[in-house]
Amino acid sequence: MNHSLVEPYLKLLEPIRCFLLCPTPQKWIQQAVREENLPVILLDHLHCELKAAQSAALLLRRYAVNKDHAQALLDALQPYEDLVYRGIGGIEQVQQSKQLSQALKAAESQPYADEIIDKMSRLIREELHHFQQVLEIMQARDIPLYKLSASRYAASLIRHVRTYEPQALIDKLIIGALIEARSCERFAELAPYLDEDITRFYVSLLRSEARHYQDYLELAQKLSDTDITERVNQFREWEAELITSEDTELRFHSGVPAHA
């Protein structure tokens, strides 16, 4: 076990651990670091990177960008979706895919659209780059792509999203903050137990994941006419309940595996 690579980031992790109401249970860590479970953790991590990019793209398309630029978001994601969901293409196609390089134009009617575009387009680029890095690690270890059921984590949080605007958007941003914060915390928890390549990779993700959670929270507060603290605290409680309760399958954001 090697904590030395994580130690320089402990100060960065302090606000993350304060934001989350509970740490990842040791029983989850014990299962996740088992050698036979590494393929599932990496594959689900791959899915999580794509879902994070998709969620950010959906926010942009619905709340921020000009309709003419929405297609650029779909084009950027398609090679990744083809590979994961349809088995079409490979790492070469993903690496050569169109990047989200053009400047996205804000829809005039949306408040804070320029800031949403700035933060979410950067997040998409980073998540898709992380996707490629996970895919390279999997290929180096001959871990195949296969269909993997999602954990209940994100779907359970989304059930609490309010049905009217701008509260629906605010809730989605709060959920995004929690997912990024939990990801950051779990990368830090897993890193000391894994081989050096994955450890260095997971440590390299800490800074961007920490920034992503802050970006989501800042946007949520700017879009709200009132203090969102109470709503954030409610979602923190729901998130902690999911993390500490029992899950039937091990996933990157699952609770305690039942077989543990």
Side-chain angles (χ1 to χ4, degrees), residues 215-248:
D215 285 348
Y216 273 118
L217 279 185
E218 288 172 6
L219 282 174
Q221 184 57 75
K222 284 185 176 182
L223 289 165
S224 177
D225 294 330
T226 59
D227 191 331
I228 64 171
T229 301
E230 184 176 347
R231 188 63 176 169
V232 171
N233 287 339
Q234 180 64 78
F235 270 104
R236 289 167 72 208
E237 291 176 7
W238 287 324
E239 195 270 348
E241 183 179 350
L242 290 166
I243 289 299
T244 55
S245 59
E246 194 173 85
D247 261 319
T248 56

PDB file of all heavy atoms in Angstrom, residues 215-248:
ATOM      1  N   ASP A 215     -17.375  23.699  -9.592  1.00  0.00           N
ATOM      2  CA  ASP A 215     -18.032  24.358 -10.721  1.00  0.00           C
ATOM      3  C   ASP A 215     -19.539  24.112 -10.688  1.00  0.00           C
ATOM      4  O   ASP A 215     -20.334  25.038 -10.907  1.00  0.00           O
ATOM      5  CB  ASP A 215     -17.464  23.831 -12.045  1.00  0.00           C
ATOM      6  CG  ASP A 215     -16.076  24.383 -12.351  1.00  0.00           C
ATOM      7  OD1 ASP A 215     -15.650  25.337 -11.675  1.00  0.00           O
ATOM      8  OD2 ASP A 215     -15.416  23.842 -13.266  1.00  0.00           O
ATOM      9  N   TYR A 216     -19.931  22.883 -10.426  1.00  0.00           N
ATOM     10  CA  TYR A 216     -21.357  22.552 -10.361  1.00  0.00           C
ATOM     11  C   TYR A 216     -22.056  23.335  -9.253  1.00  0.00           C
ATOM     12  O   TYR A 216     -23.145  23.886  -9.445  1.00  0.00           O
ATOM     13  CB  TYR A 216     -21.540  21.049 -10.123  1.00  0.00           C
ATOM     14  CG  TYR A 216     -21.553  20.213 -11.374  1.00  0.00           C
ATOM     15  CD1 TYR A 216     -20.586  19.231 -11.598  1.00  0.00           C
ATOM     16  CD2 TYR A 216     -22.559  20.356 -12.330  1.00  0.00           C
ATOM     17  CE1 TYR A 216     -20.610  18.436 -12.745  1.00  0.00           C
ATOM     18  CE2 TYR A 216     -22.593  19.567 -13.469  1.00  0.00           C
ATOM     19  CZ  TYR A 216     -21.616  18.613 -13.670  1.00  0.00           C
ATOM     20  OH  TYR A 216     -21.641  17.825 -14.796  1.00  0.00           O
ATOM     21  N   LEU A 217     -21.462  23.378  -8.077  1.00  0.00           N
ATOM     22  CA  LEU A 217     -22.080  24.078  -6.951  1.00  0.00           C
ATOM     23  C   LEU A 217     -22.171  25.577  -7.207  1.00  0.00           C
ATOM     24  O   LEU A 217     -23.191  26.211  -6.893  1.00  0.00           O
ATOM     25  CB  LEU A 217     -21.286  23.822  -5.665  1.00  0.00           C
ATOM     26  CG  LEU A 217     -21.538  22.514  -4.926  1.00  0.00           C
ATOM     27  CD1 LEU A 217     -20.748  22.498  -3.624  1.00  0.00           C
ATOM     28  CD2 LEU A 217     -23.017  22.294  -4.639  1.00  0.00           C
ATOM     29  N   GLU A 218     -21.120  26.161  -7.757  1.00  0.00           N
ATOM     30  CA  GLU A 218     -21.129  27.597  -8.037  1.00  0.00           C
ATOM     31  C   GLU A 218     -22.221  27.953  -9.044  1.00  0.00           C
ATOM     32  O   GLU A 218     -22.939  28.949  -8.876  1.00  0.00           O
ATOM     33  CB  GLU A 218     -19.762  28.031  -8.563  1.00  0.00           C
ATOM     34  CG  GLU A 218     -18.674  28.041  -7.498  1.00  0.00           C
ATOM     35  CD  GLU A 218     -17.293  28.280  -8.085  1.00  0.00           C
ATOM     36  OE1 GLU A 218     -17.195  28.547  -9.305  1.00  0.00           O
ATOM     37  OE2 GLU A 218     -16.305  28.203  -7.323  1.00  0.00           O
ATOM     38  N   LEU A 219     -22.374  27.146 -10.075  1.00  0.00           N
ATOM     39  CA  LEU A 219     -23.422  27.396 -11.059  1.00  0.00           C
ATOM     40  C   LEU A 219     -24.801  27.251 -10.429  1.00  0.00           C
ATOM     41  O   LEU A 219     -25.709  28.060 -10.693  1.00  0.00           O
ATOM     42  CB  LEU A 219     -23.283  26.431 -12.237  1.00  0.00           C
ATOM     43  CG  LEU A 219     -22.207  26.747 -13.268  1.00  0.00           C
ATOM     44  CD1 LEU A 219     -22.107  25.615 -14.287  1.00  0.00           C
ATOM     45  CD2 LEU A 219     -22.513  28.063 -13.984  1.00  0.00           C
ATOM     46  N   ALA A 220     -24.983  26.235  -9.598  1.00  0.00           N
ATOM     47  CA  ALA A 220     -26.278  26.016  -8.956  1.00  0.00           C
ATOM     48  C   ALA A 220     -26.681  27.228  -8.119  1.00  0.00           C
ATOM     49  O   ALA A 220     -27.838  27.670  -8.156  1.00  0.00           O
ATOM     50  CB  ALA A 220     -26.231  24.763  -8.095  1.00  0.00           C
ATOM     51  N   GLN A 221     -25.745  27.783  -7.356  1.00  0.00           N
ATOM     52  CA  GLN A 221     -26.065  28.935  -6.522  1.00  0.00           C
ATOM     53  C   GLN A 221     -26.343  30.179  -7.361  1.00  0.00           C
ATOM     54  O   GLN A 221     -27.258  30.958  -7.057  1.00  0.00           O
ATOM     55  CB  GLN A 221     -24.924  29.204  -5.542  1.00  0.00           C
ATOM     56  CG  GLN A 221     -25.221  30.337  -4.553  1.00  0.00           C
ATOM     57  CD  GLN A 221     -26.480  30.093  -3.749  1.00  0.00           C
ATOM     58  OE1 GLN A 221     -26.493  29.269  -2.835  1.00  0.00           O
ATOM     59  NE2 GLN A 221     -27.577  30.778  -4.092  1.00  0.00           N
ATOM     60  N   LYS A 222     -25.586  30.387  -8.439  1.00  0.00           N
ATOM     61  CA  LYS A 222     -25.804  31.554  -9.285  1.00  0.00           C
ATOM     62  C   LYS A 222     -27.171  31.532  -9.948  1.00  0.00           C
ATOM     63  O   LYS A 222     -27.777  32.579 -10.188  1.00  0.00           O
ATOM     64  CB  LYS A 222     -24.708  31.640 -10.352  1.00  0.00           C
ATOM     65  CG  LYS A 222     -23.373  32.135  -9.811  1.00  0.00           C
ATOM     66  CD  LYS A 222     -22.371  32.321 -10.928  1.00  0.00           C
ATOM     67  CE  LYS A 222     -21.079  32.911 -10.368  1.00  0.00           C
ATOM     68  NZ  LYS A 222     -20.068  33.151 -11.426  1.00  0.00           N
ATOM     69  N   LEU A 223     -27.650  30.340 -10.266  1.00  0.00           N
ATOM     70  CA  LEU A 223     -28.936  30.220 -10.947  1.00  0.00           C
ATOM     71  C   LEU A 223     -30.126  30.269 -10.000  1.00  0.00           C
ATOM     72  O   LEU A 223     -31.276  30.308 -10.435  1.00  0.00           O
ATOM     73  CB  LEU A 223     -28.975  28.912 -11.747  1.00  0.00           C
ATOM     74  CG  LEU A 223     -28.075  28.893 -12.986  1.00  0.00           C
ATOM     75  CD1 LEU A 223     -27.891  27.474 -13.488  1.00  0.00           C
ATOM     76  CD2 LEU A 223     -28.671  29.766 -14.088  1.00  0.00           C
ATOM     77  N   SER A 224     -29.854  30.273  -8.710  1.00  0.00           N
ATOM     78  CA  SER A 224     -30.928  30.283  -7.715  1.00  0.00           C
ATOM     79  C   SER A 224     -31.097  31.677  -7.117  1.00  0.00           C
ATOM     80  O   SER A 224     -30.119  32.372  -6.834  1.00  0.00           O
ATOM     81  CB  SER A 224     -30.620  29.281  -6.603  1.00  0.00           C
ATOM     82  OG  SER A 224     -31.624  29.335  -5.606  1.00  0.00           O
ATOM     83  N   ASP A 225     -32.348  32.062  -6.914  1.00  0.00           N
ATOM     84  CA  ASP A 225     -32.638  33.346  -6.274  1.00  0.00           C
ATOM     85  C   ASP A 225     -32.482  33.276  -4.768  1.00  0.00           C
ATOM     86  O   ASP A 225     -32.486  34.305  -4.093  1.00  0.00           O
ATOM     87  CB  ASP A 225     -34.065  33.796  -6.617  1.00  0.00           C
ATOM     88  CG  ASP A 225     -34.226  34.105  -8.098  1.00  0.00           C
ATOM     89  OD1 ASP A 225     -33.228  34.523  -8.721  1.00  0.00           O
ATOM     90  OD2 ASP A 225     -35.333  33.923  -8.624  1.00  0.00           O
ATOM     91  N   THR A 226     -32.393  32.069  -4.244  1.00  0.00           N
ATOM     92  CA  THR A 226     -32.282  31.885  -2.799  1.00  0.00           C
ATOM     93  C   THR A 226     -31.079  31.013  -2.472  1.00  0.00           C
ATOM     94  O   THR A 226     -30.496  30.368  -3.362  1.00  0.00           O
ATOM     95  CB  THR A 226     -33.550  31.209  -2.237  1.00  0.00           C
ATOM     96  OG1 THR A 226     -33.734  29.936  -2.880  1.00  0.00           O
ATOM     97  CG2 THR A 226     -34.776  32.085  -2.480  1.00  0.00           C
ATOM     98  N   ASP A 227     -30.712  30.974  -1.210  1.00  0.00           N
ATOM     99  CA  ASP A 227     -29.598  30.148  -0.747  1.00  0.00           C
ATOM    100  C   ASP A 227     -29.935  28.676  -0.957  1.00  0.00           C
ATOM    101  O   ASP A 227     -31.013  28.211  -0.562  1.00  0.00           O
ATOM    102  CB  ASP A 227     -29.366  30.425   0.743  1.00  0.00           C
ATOM    103  CG  ASP A 227     -28.067  29.817   1.251  1.00  0.00           C
ATOM    104  OD1 ASP A 227     -27.640  28.783   0.699  1.00  0.00           O
ATOM    105  OD2 ASP A 227     -27.500  30.356   2.204  1.00  0.00           O
ATOM    106  N   ILE A 228     -29.019  27.941  -1.591  1.00  0.00           N
ATOM    107  CA  ILE A 228     -29.297  26.532  -1.907  1.00  0.00           C
ATOM    108  C   ILE A 228     -28.794  25.582  -0.818  1.00  0.00           C
ATOM    109  O   ILE A 228     -28.881  24.362  -0.985  1.00  0.00           O
ATOM    110  CB  ILE A 228     -28.678  26.122  -3.258  1.00  0.00           C
ATOM    111  CG1 ILE A 228     -27.135  26.206  -3.212  1.00  0.00           C
ATOM    112  CG2 ILE A 228     -29.246  26.964  -4.385  1.00  0.00           C
ATOM    113  CD1 ILE A 228     -26.456  25.616  -4.426  1.00  0.00           C
ATOM    114  N   THR A 229     -28.275  26.110   0.279  1.00  0.00           N
ATOM    115  CA  THR A 229     -27.653  25.257   1.299  1.00  0.00           C
ATOM    116  C   THR A 229     -28.578  24.153   1.780  1.00  0.00           C
ATOM    117  O   THR A 229     -28.163  22.987   1.890  1.00  0.00           O
ATOM    118  CB  THR A 229     -27.195  26.110   2.505  1.00  0.00           C
ATOM    119  OG1 THR A 229     -26.260  27.088   2.046  1.00  0.00           O
ATOM    120  CG2 THR A 229     -26.533  25.227   3.556  1.00  0.00           C
ATOM    121  N   GLU A 230     -29.820  24.487   2.071  1.00  0.00           N
ATOM    122  CA  GLU A 230     -30.753  23.478   2.575  1.00  0.00           C
ATOM    123  C   GLU A 230     -30.975  22.370   1.550  1.00  0.00           C
ATOM    124  O   GLU A 230     -31.013  21.188   1.895  1.00  0.00           O
ATOM    125  CB  GLU A 230     -32.079  24.140   2.941  1.00  0.00           C
ATOM    126  CG  GLU A 230     -33.085  23.190   3.569  1.00  0.00           C
ATOM    127  CD  GLU A 230     -34.365  23.878   4.008  1.00  0.00           C
ATOM    128  OE1 GLU A 230     -34.393  25.122   4.056  1.00  0.00           O
ATOM    129  OE2 GLU A 230     -35.354  23.164   4.307  1.00  0.00           O
ATOM    130  N   ARG A 231     -31.112  22.748   0.292  1.00  0.00           N
ATOM    131  CA  ARG A 231     -31.330  21.749  -0.754  1.00  0.00           C
ATOM    132  C   ARG A 231     -30.079  20.881  -0.940  1.00  0.00           C
ATOM    133  O   ARG A 231     -30.180  19.657  -1.105  1.00  0.00           O
ATOM    134  CB  ARG A 231     -31.676  22.454  -2.070  1.00  0.00           C
ATOM    135  CG  ARG A 231     -32.116  21.509  -3.187  1.00  0.00           C
ATOM    136  CD  ARG A 231     -33.384  20.772  -2.836  1.00  0.00           C
ATOM    137  NE  ARG A 231     -33.857  19.935  -3.939  1.00  0.00           N
ATOM    138  CZ  ARG A 231     -34.817  19.028  -3.827  1.00  0.00           C
ATOM    139  NH1 ARG A 231     -35.421  18.848  -2.655  1.00  0.00           N
ATOM    140  NH2 ARG A 231     -35.186  18.315  -4.861  1.00  0.00           N
ATOM    141  N   VAL A 232     -28.906  21.505  -0.902  1.00  0.00           N
ATOM    142  CA  VAL A 232     -27.655  20.754  -1.000  1.00  0.00           C
ATOM    143  C   VAL A 232     -27.550  19.755   0.143  1.00  0.00           C
ATOM    144  O   VAL A 232     -27.185  18.586  -0.069  1.00  0.00           O
ATOM    145  CB  VAL A 232     -26.438  21.709  -0.993  1.00  0.00           C
ATOM    146  CG1 VAL A 232     -25.134  20.926  -0.864  1.00  0.00           C
ATOM    147  CG2 VAL A 232     -26.411  22.551  -2.265  1.00  0.00           C
ATOM    148  N   ASN A 233     -27.876  20.185   1.334  1.00  0.00           N
ATOM    149  CA  ASN A 233     -27.794  19.291   2.498  1.00  0.00           C
ATOM    150  C   ASN A 233     -28.739  18.104   2.366  1.00  0.00           C
ATOM    151  O   ASN A 233     -28.410  16.991   2.786  1.00  0.00           O
ATOM    152  CB  ASN A 233     -28.074  20.063   3.777  1.00  0.00           C
ATOM    153  CG  ASN A 233     -26.933  20.985   4.163  1.00  0.00           C
ATOM    154  OD1 ASN A 233     -25.803  20.794   3.722  1.00  0.00           O
ATOM    155  ND2 ASN A 233     -27.216  21.990   4.969  1.00  0.00           N
ATOM    156  N   GLN A 234     -29.921  18.337   1.783  1.00  0.00           N
ATOM    157  CA  GLN A 234     -30.852  17.233   1.576  1.00  0.00           C
ATOM    158  C   GLN A 234     -30.262  16.205   0.612  1.00  0.00           C
ATOM    159  O   GLN A 234     -30.311  14.984   0.859  1.00  0.00           O
ATOM    160  CB  GLN A 234     -32.179  17.761   1.027  1.00  0.00           C
ATOM    161  CG  GLN A 234     -33.223  16.685   0.769  1.00  0.00           C
ATOM    162  CD  GLN A 234     -33.674  15.986   2.027  1.00  0.00           C
ATOM    163  OE1 GLN A 234     -34.475  16.511   2.787  1.00  0.00           O
ATOM    164  NE2 GLN A 234     -33.168  14.781   2.279  1.00  0.00           N
ATOM    165  N   PHE A 235     -29.662  16.673  -0.463  1.00  0.00           N
ATOM    166  CA  PHE A 235     -29.043  15.755  -1.424  1.00  0.00           C
ATOM    167  C   PHE A 235     -27.833  15.060  -0.804  1.00  0.00           C
ATOM    168  O   PHE A 235     -27.561  13.894  -1.104  1.00  0.00           O
ATOM    169  CB  PHE A 235     -28.654  16.495  -2.706  1.00  0.00           C
ATOM    170  CG  PHE A 235     -29.733  16.516  -3.749  1.00  0.00           C
ATOM    171  CD1 PHE A 235     -30.486  17.665  -3.972  1.00  0.00           C
ATOM    172  CD2 PHE A 235     -30.016  15.391  -4.499  1.00  0.00           C
ATOM    173  CE1 PHE A 235     -31.492  17.678  -4.933  1.00  0.00           C
ATOM    174  CE2 PHE A 235     -31.023  15.387  -5.459  1.00  0.00           C
ATOM    175  CZ  PHE A 235     -31.767  16.544  -5.682  1.00  0.00           C
ATOM    176  N   ARG A 236     -27.103  15.758   0.042  1.00  0.00           N
ATOM    177  CA  ARG A 236     -25.966  15.122   0.726  1.00  0.00           C
ATOM    178  C   ARG A 236     -26.453  13.945   1.579  1.00  0.00           C
ATOM    179  O   ARG A 236     -25.799  12.899   1.639  1.00  0.00           O
ATOM    180  CB  ARG A 236     -25.246  16.145   1.601  1.00  0.00           C
ATOM    181  CG  ARG A 236     -24.473  17.187   0.825  1.00  0.00           C
ATOM    182  CD  ARG A 236     -24.046  18.341   1.722  1.00  0.00           C
ATOM    183  NE  ARG A 236     -22.981  17.951   2.633  1.00  0.00           N
ATOM    184  CZ  ARG A 236     -22.784  18.516   3.823  1.00  0.00           C
ATOM    185  NH1 ARG A 236     -23.589  19.465   4.259  1.00  0.00           N
ATOM    186  NH2 ARG A 236     -21.777  18.120   4.577  1.00  0.00           N
ATOM    187  N   GLU A 237     -27.590  14.099   2.229  1.00  0.00           N
ATOM    188  CA  GLU A 237     -28.146  13.020   3.050  1.00  0.00           C
ATOM    189  C   GLU A 237     -28.571  11.842   2.179  1.00  0.00           C
ATOM    190  O   GLU A 237     -28.298  10.681   2.510  1.00  0.00           O
ATOM    191  CB  GLU A 237     -29.330  13.534   3.863  1.00  0.00           C
ATOM    192  CG  GLU A 237     -28.942  14.516   4.957  1.00  0.00           C
ATOM    193  CD  GLU A 237     -30.144  15.084   5.692  1.00  0.00           C
ATOM    194  OE1 GLU A 237     -31.283  14.614   5.436  1.00  0.00           O
ATOM    195  OE2 GLU A 237     -29.957  15.998   6.516  1.00  0.00           O
ATOM    196  N   TRP A 238     -29.233  12.135   1.073  1.00  0.00           N
ATOM    197  CA  TRP A 238     -29.648  11.052   0.171  1.00  0.00           C
ATOM    198  C   TRP A 238     -28.419  10.325  -0.379  1.00  0.00           C
ATOM    199  O   TRP A 238     -28.424   9.095  -0.493  1.00  0.00           O
ATOM    200  CB  TRP A 238     -30.483  11.623  -0.977  1.00  0.00           C
ATOM    201  CG  TRP A 238     -31.871  12.045  -0.573  1.00  0.00           C
ATOM    202  CD1 TRP A 238     -32.685  11.443   0.338  1.00  0.00           C
ATOM    203  CD2 TRP A 238     -32.600  13.176  -1.076  1.00  0.00           C
ATOM    204  NE1 TRP A 238     -33.883  12.107   0.442  1.00  0.00           N
ATOM    205  CE2 TRP A 238     -33.869  13.176  -0.419  1.00  0.00           C
ATOM    206  CE3 TRP A 238     -32.324  14.180  -1.999  1.00  0.00           C
ATOM    207  CZ2 TRP A 238     -34.836  14.150  -0.679  1.00  0.00           C
ATOM    208  CZ3 TRP A 238     -33.290  15.138  -2.253  1.00  0.00           C
ATOM    209  CH2 TRP A 238     -34.526  15.126  -1.607  1.00  0.00           C
ATOM    210  N   GLU A 239     -27.392  11.072  -0.731  1.00  0.00           N
ATOM    211  CA  GLU A 239     -26.173  10.472  -1.280  1.00  0.00           C
ATOM    212  C   GLU A 239     -25.493   9.574  -0.245  1.00  0.00           C
ATOM    213  O   GLU A 239     -25.075   8.447  -0.564  1.00  0.00           O
ATOM    214  CB  GLU A 239     -25.222  11.582  -1.732  1.00  0.00           C
ATOM    215  CG  GLU A 239     -24.096  11.128  -2.642  1.00  0.00           C
ATOM    216  CD  GLU A 239     -22.830  10.694  -1.923  1.00  0.00           C
ATOM    217  OE1 GLU A 239     -22.741  10.950  -0.701  1.00  0.00           O
ATOM    218  OE2 GLU A 239     -21.942  10.104  -2.552  1.00  0.00           O
ATOM    219  N   ALA A 240     -25.399  10.037   0.986  1.00  0.00           N
ATOM    220  CA  ALA A 240     -24.748   9.257   2.039  1.00  0.00           C
ATOM    221  C   ALA A 240     -25.503   7.961   2.311  1.00  0.00           C
ATOM    222  O   ALA A 240     -24.897   6.908   2.564  1.00  0.00           O
ATOM    223  CB  ALA A 240     -24.645  10.093   3.309  1.00  0.00           C
ATOM    224  N   GLU A 241     -26.813   8.030   2.240  1.00  0.00           N
ATOM    225  CA  GLU A 241     -27.622   6.819   2.449  1.00  0.00           C
ATOM    226  C   GLU A 241     -27.332   5.774   1.375  1.00  0.00           C
ATOM    227  O   GLU A 241     -27.228   4.577   1.658  1.00  0.00           O
ATOM    228  CB  GLU A 241     -29.111   7.184   2.452  1.00  0.00           C
ATOM    229  CG  GLU A 241     -30.027   6.013   2.736  1.00  0.00           C
ATOM    230  CD  GLU A 241     -31.504   6.398   2.757  1.00  0.00           C
ATOM    231  OE1 GLU A 241     -31.791   7.612   2.735  1.00  0.00           O
ATOM    232  OE2 GLU A 241     -32.345   5.493   2.794  1.00  0.00           O
ATOM    233  N   LEU A 242     -27.180   6.222   0.129  1.00  0.00           N
ATOM    234  CA  LEU A 242     -26.869   5.299  -0.963  1.00  0.00           C
ATOM    235  C   LEU A 242     -25.487   4.675  -0.793  1.00  0.00           C
ATOM    236  O   LEU A 242     -25.288   3.484  -1.052  1.00  0.00           O
ATOM    237  CB  LEU A 242     -26.934   6.035  -2.310  1.00  0.00           C
ATOM    238  CG  LEU A 242     -28.324   6.448  -2.791  1.00  0.00           C
ATOM    239  CD1 LEU A 242     -28.212   7.448  -3.933  1.00  0.00           C
ATOM    240  CD2 LEU A 242     -29.122   5.224  -3.237  1.00  0.00           C
ATOM    241  N   ILE A 243     -24.520   5.469  -0.352  1.00  0.00           N
ATOM    242  CA  ILE A 243     -23.140   5.006  -0.215  1.00  0.00           C
ATOM    243  C   ILE A 243     -22.982   4.019   0.941  1.00  0.00           C
ATOM    244  O   ILE A 243     -22.173   3.090   0.873  1.00  0.00           O
ATOM    245  CB  ILE A 243     -22.191   6.217  -0.036  1.00  0.00           C
ATOM    246  CG1 ILE A 243     -22.088   6.997  -1.353  1.00  0.00           C
ATOM    247  CG2 ILE A 243     -20.809   5.789   0.457  1.00  0.00           C
ATOM    248  CD1 ILE A 243     -21.533   6.213  -2.519  1.00  0.00           C
ATOM    249  N   THR A 244     -23.744   4.192   1.993  1.00  0.00           N
ATOM    250  CA  THR A 244     -23.586   3.350   3.180  1.00  0.00           C
ATOM    251  C   THR A 244     -24.531   2.160   3.215  1.00  0.00           C
ATOM    252  O   THR A 244     -24.353   1.261   4.035  1.00  0.00           O
ATOM    253  CB  THR A 244     -23.798   4.180   4.463  1.00  0.00           C
ATOM    254  OG1 THR A 244     -25.084   4.827   4.405  1.00  0.00           O
ATOM    255  CG2 THR A 244     -22.716   5.233   4.611  1.00  0.00           C
ATOM    256  N   SER A 245     -25.513   2.120   2.336  1.00  0.00           N
ATOM    257  CA  SER A 245     -26.441   0.994   2.320  1.00  0.00           C
ATOM    258  C   SER A 245     -25.911  -0.123   1.433  1.00  0.00           C
ATOM    259  O   SER A 245     -24.943   0.042   0.695  1.00  0.00           O
ATOM    260  CB  SER A 245     -27.827   1.444   1.847  1.00  0.00           C
ATOM    261  OG  SER A 245     -27.757   1.992   0.551  1.00  0.00           O
ATOM    262  N   GLU A 246     -26.570  -1.260   1.494  1.00  0.00           N
ATOM    263  CA  GLU A 246     -26.100  -2.452   0.794  1.00  0.00           C
ATOM    264  C   GLU A 246     -26.514  -2.442  -0.664  1.00  0.00           C
ATOM    265  O   GLU A 246     -27.621  -2.033  -1.009  1.00  0.00           O
ATOM    266  CB  GLU A 246     -26.663  -3.697   1.486  1.00  0.00           C
ATOM    267  CG  GLU A 246     -26.009  -4.985   1.097  1.00  0.00           C
ATOM    268  CD  GLU A 246     -26.492  -6.160   1.950  1.00  0.00           C
ATOM    269  OE1 GLU A 246     -27.533  -6.743   1.601  1.00  0.00           O
ATOM    270  OE2 GLU A 246     -25.830  -6.480   2.957  1.00  0.00           O
ATOM    271  N   ASP A 247     -25.602  -2.879  -1.533  1.00  0.00           N
ATOM    272  CA  ASP A 247     -25.877  -3.015  -2.961  1.00  0.00           C
ATOM    273  C   ASP A 247     -25.633  -4.455  -3.389  1.00  0.00           C
ATOM    274  O   ASP A 247     -24.756  -5.131  -2.854  1.00  0.00           O
ATOM    275  CB  ASP A 247     -24.975  -2.092  -3.783  1.00  0.00           C
ATOM    276  CG  ASP A 247     -25.668  -0.806  -4.206  1.00  0.00           C
ATOM    277  OD1 ASP A 247     -26.846  -0.875  -4.580  1.00  0.00           O
ATOM    278  OD2 ASP A 247     -25.035   0.263  -4.156  1.00  0.00           O
ATOM    279  N   THR A 248     -26.391  -4.891  -4.374  1.00  0.00           N
ATOM    280  CA  THR A 248     -26.258  -6.274  -4.829  1.00  0.00           C
ATOM    281  C   THR A 248     -25.008  -6.481  -5.675  1.00  0.00           C
ATOM    282  O   THR A 248     -24.490  -7.589  -5.755  1.00  0.00           O
ATOM    283  CB  THR A 248     -27.489  -6.697  -5.647  1.00  0.00           C
ATOM    284  OG1 THR A 248     -27.673  -5.778  -6.732  1.00  0.00           O
ATOM    285  CG2 THR A 248     -28.741  -6.682  -4.772  1.00  0.00           C
TER     286      THR A 248
END
